Amino acid sequence: MYALLGRNAFLQPVLASLIGMIPSCFSSVLIAEGFLKGALGFGSMIAGLLANTGFGILVLFRELPLKKTLLLILLLQAISILVGEIFHFTIG
């Protein structure tokens, strides 16, 4: 998986934020481990960890209408990717 993320620097924050949406702590561990091994850049790590909601996303699906939940997920992804790309290209 780390080889896939390391191929395209521009897509790294996008893919990391999608991995961060997996509802559990496993995605945080996976992203942090990828950063420590050098497979992910700092911006990608930030994007993935910003997108991580733990099990909160499951609560949203249960408590809110589907349309609102999907809108919140899209907003969360957009913010995570934007911040990740900013960090990726400014800090490296």
Side-chain angles (χ1 to χ4, degrees):
M1 183 192 84
Y2 296 131
L4 174 68
L5 289 173
R7 288 184 189 161
N8 191 336
F10 183 74
L11 288 179
Q12 256 191 16
V14 175
L15 295 174
S17 70
L18 290 174
I19 291 170
M21 291 296 292
I22 297 171
S24 71
C25 296
F26 175 71
S27 58
S28 296
V29 172
L30 193 66
I31 290 168
E33 184 179 321
F35 175 72
L36 290 175
K37 289 184 176 183
L40 289 176
F42 183 73
S44 301
M45 180 187 67
I46 294 294
L49 294 178
L50 279 176
N52 189 313
T53 60
F55 289 105
I57 197 78
L58 299 177
V59 174
L60 288 177
F61 275 112
R62 180 182 166 111
E63 297 296 325
L64 294 178
L66 182 63
K67 190 174 182 178
K68 279 189 177 184
T69 302
L70 293 177
L71 182 64
L72 284 172
I73 290 172
L74 286 174
L75 183 63
L76 178 64
Q77 282 293 305
I79 291 170
S80 299
I81 291 168
L82 179 66
V83 171
E85 291 291 351
I86 289 170
F87 274 99
H88 188 76
F89 287 108
T90 56
I91 295 177

